[in-house]
Amino acid sequence: MTEDLVRELELLREFGFTHLDISGGPPSSAAAAEDRGAPQSDLLAELQAVVTVCEKCRLSKSRTQVVYGVGSPNADLMFIGEAPGREEDIQGEPFVGRAGQLLTDVIKAMKLTRDDVYIANVIKCRPPENRNPEQDELDACRPYIRRQVEIIQPKVIVTLGRFALQSLLEKSYAISSVRGQWLDYNGIKVMPTYHPAYLLRNPAAKKEVWADMKKVIAELERSASDSKDGRPRSE
Ligand code: URA
Ligand code: SF4
């Protein structure tokens, strides 16, 4: 019990909570972290309770609601975008606007559905007028996406656009030079590709994204057959 409480407090501190209001308490209490072997869905829900009331950056002031993430808690494939837009802010779900429709089409083209994968953003609250996220906002929100990855343990992550990649890996890249090349995040393969909003403006770049997705499909097939053979998943 004490151990669980300590772990819960560590988790909250990692997310930037420096003090606890014990009168109301944080929305996720020690009970949520009680089982170390808790299913991923419980762990995601526990984190969601924290993120839903987050006020760590100025974007909390202008949001309608937090856009946490959707999909399968044990997805092999995770898509990570930038930040909610207008539709996402209204509906509370990532990638449901025009760019989202394009992403959904990409997922379908991979012979998957939105329920098979997990979709989230590196910024959980809509920036006003869809402006670019600022560095301190990316820093404040980063622990959440990293924890989502840690819980879900996907085999492959696809980052959409420059901010998703830069924030997850905390490193600056020129997207045009790294897209299509495998990168690594804590032993998980990362495929950087263009953001679907960019594809709306530059439809010709769709073929590059599709080439990247073919690499992703091949990697998912490879890791699935490895695990069937009982071989370890990396190598
Ligand atoms: N663009 C993003 O990066 N994320 C969304 O959820 C919607 C649009
Ligand atoms: Fe918190 Fe992230 Fe929203 Fe900022 S963008 S208030 S860090 S959830």
Side-chain angles (χ1 to χ4, degrees):
M1 181 61 210
T2 317
E3 222 175 84
D4 293 330
L5 192 55
V6 168
R7 184 177 164 273
E8 174 84 353
L9 289 170
E10 278 169 0
L11 186 78
L12 289 166
R13 192 174 47 209
E14 213 176 285
F15 293 143
F17 288 83
T18 48
H19 73 280
L20 288 181
D21 174 5
I22 45 172
S23 54
S28 76
S29 67
E34 214 154 85
D35 184 357
R36 277 171 181 280
Q40 284 137 310
S41 53
D42 288 5
L43 296 171
L44 282 174
E46 175 191 344
L47 175 64
Q48 183 166 12
V50 173
V51 182
T52 301
V53 296
C54 176
E55 295 184 349
K56 281 202 293 165
C57 82
R58 63 184 77 75
L59 297 178
S60 64
K61 304 241 181 348
S62 50
R63 72 186 177 213
T64 304
Q65 58 188 316
V66 165
V67 178
Y68 178 64
V70 286
S72 167
N74 35 359
D76 286 343
L77 176 58
M78 202 166 158
F79 287 92
I80 301 182
E82 180 181 321
R86 189 168 55 99
E87 267 315 301
E88 291 78 17
D89 177 64
I90 293 167
Q91 295 188 38
E93 183 170 334
F95 285 101
V96 290
R98 234 156 59 84
Q101 184 55 53
L102 187 46
L103 176 64
T104 303
D105 291 345
V106 169
I107 293 169
K108 280 191 196 146
M110 297 171 83
K111 303 224 163 30
L112 294 167
T113 68
R114 283 172 68 101
D115 294 337
D116 294 325
V117 302
Y118 195 89
I119 308 172
N121 290 306
V122 293
I123 289 279
K124 309 299 191 202
C125 306
R126 183 193 182 200
E129 313 302 326
N130 297 349
R131 66 158 169 75
N132 286 341
E134 289 172 15
Q135 192 56 52
D136 60 334
E137 296 160 355
L138 291 162
D139 292 342
C141 217
R142 182 178 301 108
Y144 298 141
I145 189 67
R146 287 191 163 172
R147 177 71 181 141
Q148 284 172 303
V149 170
E150 186 180 72
I151 292 169
I152 296 165
Q153 286 290 322
K155 302 216 163 73
V156 175
I157 294 170
V158 172
T159 56
L160 304 164
R162 141 174 164 237
F163 288 105
L165 180 65
Q166 288 189 2
S167 191
L168 180 71
L169 271 58
E170 214 176 343
K171 216 168 148 183
S172 147
Y173 294 96
I175 190 74
S176 53
S177 60
V178 290
R179 74 133 271 284
Q181 294 176 41
W182 287 113
L183 298 172
D184 174 88
Y185 173 69
N186 286 350
I188 300 169
K189 292 202 155 206
V190 176
M191 175 56 68
T193 197
Y194 292 132
H195 193 284
Y198 173 78
L199 299 182
L200 291 173
R201 299 190 300 270
N202 302 276
K206 284 184 190 173
K207 59 178 185 312
E208 280 146 287
V209 170
W210 185 239
D212 302 345
M213 293 311 103
K214 284 203 280 202
K215 292 182 189 171
V216 168
I217 294 165
E219 177 56 30
L220 290 171
E221 283 170 356
R222 192 188 69 84
S223 73
S225 72
D226 279 6
S227 52
K228 235 187 278 158
D229 297 348
R231 271 184 279 156
R233 97 182 193 190
S234 55
E235 263 19 296

